[in-house]
Amino acid sequence: MTQEAELWIDRRRLKRQLLMWRCIAIFVVFVTTGVTIVNHTGSDSENYIARLEITNVIKNDTKRLATLNRLANDNNVKALIVSINSPGGSVVGGEALYRSILRVKTKIPVVAVMNEVATSAGYMVAIAADHIFAQKGTITGSIGVIFQTAEVTDLLSKIGIKVEAIKSAPLKAEPSIFSKITPSVRAVTQKLVDDMNSMFISMVAVSRKLKEKQIQDIADGRVFTGRMAQKKGLIDAIGSEFQARVWLADFKGIDKSLPVRDIVE
């Protein structure tokens, strides 16, 4: 009987200890989950200014465009800073970014900040903003379009290689590195470049509120410093992100104390 009593007491003690550890484990899980929920909610409910960095060669980045579309529907984003350091890129890449930023601009203020360089498609992106800042020494402009190709027929001939193509029409797949540029090929390619260039000039004229003739006079591919660009009306002011924050506060009522967050694509 004594052994049975001791065994019963040990079992009771073991059950109490097991219950106590279960309670501790549940409490720890509850506290951890609660902290996570609080932190998550606090992060989501905090207003902020978004920063989109455009660097290197610009291409048609569908992931970046989707991020911008989500940004336009985020009620916590109060403004967008587009930080540009790019020599340009494809016409389609620049145009797609330009139109996506325009959509964001219908919801919140957008300001562009040029760094070392913002030329060609890099400048195309900037003109979508409400206000453009550049440093005095920033290289910008280069309004224009270029189409480059090569021709290696003479080289191939020297090493005994002859390339033949059977085409449905003379202009199919032209210009090509395997054939000399004929007057007709040059003419249609020039029309292609001219049409894209006309689109670029119209975008600049509309965005900068200038006459197309004013843009045409400087849309010969030349680049400008930030100071020169300001005189030409291509940018609004000399300054960095600090001045951009001041402008957002003074002209758009955006609280200076709001944090700036980089957009994660």
Side-chain angles (χ1 to χ4, degrees), residues 107-166:
K107 303 287 186 69
I108 57 175
V110 178
V111 60
V113 178
M114 296 178 175
N115 295 295
E116 281 82 3
V117 60
T119 53
S120 196
Y123 179 69
M124 183 184 288
V125 171
I127 61 176
D130 292 300
H131 210 71
I132 303 175
F133 285 91
Q135 299 287 358
K136 291 181 180 180
T138 296
I139 301 300
T140 187
S142 188
I143 301 170
V145 177
I146 184 172
F147 186 103
Q148 291 180 312
T149 185
E151 186 256 304
V152 297
T153 55
D154 291 339
L155 174 62
L156 294 179
S157 178
K158 288 180 179 179
I159 59 178
I161 297 176
K162 183 179 180 180
V163 178
E164 293 187 355
I166 300 173

Side-chain angles (χ1 to χ4, degrees), residues 174-230:
E174 294 290 351
S176 168
I177 63 171
F178 301 120
S179 59
K180 292 186 179 298
I181 296 179
T182 64
S184 58
V185 170
R186 185 177 298 277
V188 296
T189 305
Q190 187 64 56
K191 286 183 179 179
L192 181 75
V193 171
D194 290 344
D195 186 67
M196 290 188 288
N197 188 55
S198 177
M199 180 190 73
F200 194 172
I201 290 173
S202 295
M203 291 164 69
V204 176
V206 170
S207 298
R208 300 303 302 162
K209 297 179 174 58
L210 298 170
K211 294 180 179 179
E212 287 199 11
K213 180 63 170 63
Q214 292 176 273
I215 306 303
Q216 288 170 349
D217 290 342
I218 57 176
D220 54 5
R222 78 181 80 173
V223 296
F224 306 94
T225 64
R227 294 197 307 170
M228 295 165 67
Q230 186 180 20

Side-chain angles (χ1 to χ4, degrees), residues 66-86:
T67 301
L68 278 170
N69 288 334
R70 288 195 300 271
L71 185 72
N73 297 316
D74 188 343
N75 294 327
N76 296 129
V77 181
K78 299 307 176 183
L80 171 64
I81 296 174
V82 183
S83 178
I84 306 169
N85 195 11
S86 169

Side-chain angles (χ1 to χ4, degrees), residues 2 4 60 65 69 98 102 107 113 118 159 190 202 231 233 239 244 252:
T2 303
E4 290 180 358
N60 192 24
L65 299 179
N69 288 334
Y98 168 85
L102 283 184
K107 303 287 186 69
V113 178
I159 59 178
Q190 187 64 56
S202 295
K231 292 177 181 178
K252 297 297 180 178

